[in-house]
Amino acid sequence: MALASSASKSFQGFVSRLVPEQGLAGQTSFARIGSMGYRGRWGTATSAVAALTLGMGAVAIGSLLTTQTEVEVPAAVGQASVRVVTTMPLLAAQPEPSVASLTPAEESTSFFSSPFAESVATPEPAAPFSFDTAFSLVTESIRSTASETVSVGRGDTLMALLTNSGAARSDAHRAITAMTPLQDPRKLRAGQELQLGFEEYVSATEEGDSEIARRLTSVSMKTDVDREVMVSRQDDGGFSGLEIIAELETGHVQARGTINSSLFLAAADAGIPAAITVEMIRMYSYDIDFQREIRQGDTFEVFFTREYDEDGTPVREGDVLYASMNVRGKERRLWRHQPTDGGNWDYFDEQGRSMRKFLMKTPIDGARISSSFGNRRHPILGYTRLHAGTDFAAPSGTPIYAAGSGTIEMAQRNGSFGNYVRIRHANGYQTAYAHMRGYGRGIRKGVRVRQGQVIGYVGTTGRSTGPHLHYEVIRNGNKVNPQRIRVPTGRTLSGGQLAAFQEARSSIDTLMAEAPAATQVAEAEIAADADDTSAQ
């Protein structure tokens, strides 16, 4: 009861201080607190403490007694021009205050601590932030990402390319490990481009300075026009791989031209890519000698597929569906067809006969005959003897093809023939290739080769006066003239297979009628140039 009476008196005293000397009773002006003297405010505050002890006083006083703690920021932050200012209340639960606890303790740093206290306790600072933590809090929203394109040079490795661009060796190793199941990193090609992604941030050096550091976030490369491999950084610091396959649109192109100097130049003038021209040569290499039979005025036509990306840009040439060669007045037309009985696709003429012959007429491209089959005066030995093959002069390193499918009988040095390969074919035939500079990949005795496979390269090893290929055809143990033999042809379709071919042929002819002609574009450009010239 005594305590209640004392609180009541204190409350009345508090009210009396706030009542104006000439004002209505019961009206209180709290604004007068600011005009009181120091001791007046202290007395008023003391009265308020006593009055608020009852009811909600415990909550009010509890919050007033909460200690405010300052946090020191280390000097490293200031050196990096980063200022961190923070005030953090202690999170420890405060006990319910009692009446006795309303008296400020000597060590208390409350707002209501006595101004006449001899000493005020210094608050203990919280643990300081590290530089990385402080920088992360302040600059998280302004971190930057960077991308970089790196071109692969001869002899470069993926590890060297990544580390030289600023990636940590550990990150580079994890990225390469994630990429390996999708793409062998050892198969980088000179000129290939890599897209690298980095996160850039400020880091402290051992000397206490700050510098821009880079963290690898992604690596991507295009392995083909429609395939891309990418690895990206995960939250745990590892990398995961992804394969992206683009969908290409397939179109058709038709072109024709007249040979004035060479097939390659005429095809280029007609807008035909080099890859399609090479395929045409291989299609007819069993039947036409392009080094000796082509004449000025001969004509050609080709119909092939072409693939386009999403922007409509041509990115890859496809298959030759139809080709025609008119050489010396004789026209040869071929259509591509896949038999439905499981046989391999091939080119067939109007009667369903395969263009593929048992042996190629010329096992080398771009060569000239420097010496034919027959008796001749040997250029080194100086006397006449049988030249039992055909010599094709060509630059050193020119690829040499297997004239037909078969098994390698010999791939080694062979006396005056130098580096030598002999292949055993069916029906008692063998072919031999001499004076080679080197052998094709995997060419050794006992290996099975297919027609048109590279078995070696033109050289001048053995008894030779210059780079050339000495080519022989052996039939039942006897050497015969490679240019005059008549060899078996390939497959001839019949019955249902022939009917299926004729249907496929009709479909290709319909597509040709609807396809744009590359030569029409070229002729239009030439005509426009001529009009401009005449106008001038």
Side-chain angles (χ1 to χ4, degrees):
M1 294 295 291
L3 181 60
S5 177
S6 176
S8 177
K9 292 179 181 180
S10 297
F11 181 73
Q12 292 175 359
F14 173 68
V15 172
S16 66
R17 291 174 182 270
L18 299 179
V19 175
E21 295 179 358
Q22 297 177 355
L24 298 175
Q27 292 184 345
T28 304
S29 177
F30 289 92
R32 291 194 60 203
I33 296 178
S35 62
M36 293 180 181
Y38 184 84
R39 293 184 180 275
R41 288 198 300 272
W42 173 251
T44 301
T46 305
S47 300
V49 169
L52 294 176
T53 301
L54 302 177
M56 299 300 294
V59 178
I61 297 302
S63 62
L64 291 174
L65 293 177
T66 301
T67 303
Q68 305 297 313
T69 306
E70 296 180 356
V71 177
E72 293 184 353
V73 179
V77 176
Q79 295 172 359
S81 300
V82 179
R83 183 173 179 83
V84 180
V85 181
T86 178
T87 302
M88 300 178 63
L90 295 179
L91 301 179
Q94 301 294 331
E96 289 291 335
S98 60
V99 176
S101 65
L102 297 179
T103 303
E106 188 176 8
E107 295 80 3
S108 173
T109 57
S110 170
F111 175 80
F112 291 104
S113 298
S114 173
F116 305 106
E118 295 182 358
S119 63
V120 179
T122 302
E124 294 184 1
F129 287 122
S130 66
F131 174 82
D132 290 340
T133 303
F135 185 85
S136 178
L137 287 171
V138 177
T139 65
E140 182 175 1
S141 61
I142 61 173
R143 293 190 188 187
S144 63
T145 58
S147 61
E148 182 176 340
T149 301
V150 178
S151 181
V152 179
R154 182 179 294 273
D156 284 343
T157 64
L158 184 55
M159 174 63 77
L161 291 171
L162 296 180
T163 54
N164 291 342
S165 298
R169 192 172 186 85
S170 58
D171 286 343
H173 176 73
R174 286 192 288 267
I176 294 173
T177 301
M179 179 178 290
T180 300
L182 300 174
Q183 179 70 20
D184 189 344
R186 297 171 298 180
K187 294 184 178 180
L188 292 177
R189 303 184 305 272
Q192 190 174 5
E193 291 186 344
L194 306 179
Q195 301 295 329
L196 309 181
F198 292 92
E199 180 187 49
E200 295 184 338
Y201 60 97
V202 177
S203 177
T205 65
E206 295 180 356
E207 292 77 15
D209 299 326
S210 59
E211 64 178 4
I212 299 296
R214 310 183 89 186
R215 180 182 292 114
L216 182 67
T217 58
S218 66
V219 181
S220 65
M221 70 171 73
K222 295 202 71 172
T223 61
D224 205 342
V225 294
D226 61 344
R227 182 176 183 267
E228 182 177 358
V229 173
M230 180 175 67
V231 295
S232 55
R233 192 183 191 94
Q234 303 301 300
D235 294 339
D236 60 359
F239 285 80
S240 63
L242 178 66
E243 180 185 41
I244 303 173
I245 303 297
E247 293 185 2
L248 302 180
E249 296 291 335
T250 301
H252 299 88
V253 179
Q254 182 182 10
R256 59 177 62 91
T258 301
I259 300 174
N260 293 317
S261 57
S262 72
L263 175 60
F264 266 100
L265 290 177
D269 291 341
I272 301 174
I276 300 299
T277 305
V278 170
E279 181 65 13
M280 288 178 59
I281 292 175
R282 292 184 178 178
M283 289 171 63
Y284 290 101
S285 62
Y286 303 93
D287 201 29
I288 299 174
D289 188 337
F290 284 92
Q291 280 74 47
R292 283 156 287 280
E293 295 183 11
I294 297 296
R295 294 290 183 269
Q296 185 176 1
D298 291 342
T299 61
F300 62 88
E301 183 179 7
V302 64
F303 179 63
F304 59 96
T305 61
R306 175 177 283 170
E307 294 180 315
Y308 301 84
D309 63 13
E310 58 183 4
D311 298 324
T313 303
V315 295
R316 184 167 58 196
E317 311 306 336
D319 301 321
V320 174
L321 302 181
Y322 166 82
S324 171
M325 289 288 301
N326 192 324
V327 178
R328 297 186 178 185
K330 182 180 180 181
E331 186 178 22
R332 300 169 175 86
R333 299 194 299 168
L334 297 172
W335 289 261
R336 180 187 174 103
H337 177 62
Q338 171 76 58
T340 58
D341 59 359
N344 295 326
W345 70 265
D346 207 341
Y347 297 106
F348 298 88
D349 63 11
E350 297 92 329
Q351 286 74 39
R353 295 175 300 192
S354 170
M355 48 70 64
R356 193 181 300 274
K357 301 296 191 294
F358 178 65
L359 293 177
M360 296 173 64
K361 200 168 186 178
T362 306
I364 187 173
D365 291 333
R368 63 179 178 84
I369 294 180
S370 57
S371 184
S372 299
F373 184 92
N375 291 326
R376 69 165 187 175
R377 183 179 179 83
H378 198 279
I380 295 179
L381 299 178
Y383 59 85
T384 301
R385 58 179 293 184
L386 176 65
H387 184 242
T390 301
D391 288 351
F392 296 93
S396 180
T398 301
I400 300 170
Y401 308 115
S405 300
T407 302
I408 302 291
E409 285 188 324
M410 182 184 295
Q412 63 185 48
R413 190 86 177 185
N414 186 19
S416 62
F417 286 120
N419 293 331
Y420 179 87
V421 169
R422 187 169 69 234
I423 304 175
R424 183 182 71 252
H425 309 282
N427 304 320
Y429 282 89
Q430 296 169 299
T431 54
Y433 315 79
H435 305 303
M436 296 191 299
R437 186 181 75 177
Y439 305 101
R441 178 175 296 181
I443 299 302
R444 60 183 182 276
K445 183 177 179 180
V447 171
R448 176 79 179 173
V449 294
R450 67 183 185 279
Q451 190 175 55
Q453 180 178 339
V454 175
I455 60 171
Y457 303 91
V458 170
T460 184
T461 58
R463 192 179 295 158
S464 170
T465 58
H468 72 284
L469 167 66
H470 176 78
Y471 173 58
E472 295 180 350
V473 176
I474 307 166
R475 182 174 58 192
N476 297 325
N478 298 315
K479 296 181 180 180
V480 297
N481 189 344
Q483 302 302 305
R484 293 189 176 181
I485 61 171
R486 298 182 64 87
V487 296
T489 60
R491 178 179 183 181
T492 299
L493 301 175
S494 61
Q497 292 300 321
L498 179 59
F501 165 69
Q502 297 294 355
E503 183 178 350
R505 170 188 163 187
S506 178
S507 298
I508 292 175
D509 292 342
T510 301
L511 290 173
M512 288 176 58
E514 300 172 352
T519 49
Q520 292 178 357
V521 176
E523 290 170 359
E525 292 175 349
I526 293 172
D529 293 340
D531 292 341
D532 293 341
T533 303
S534 61
Q536 295 175 357

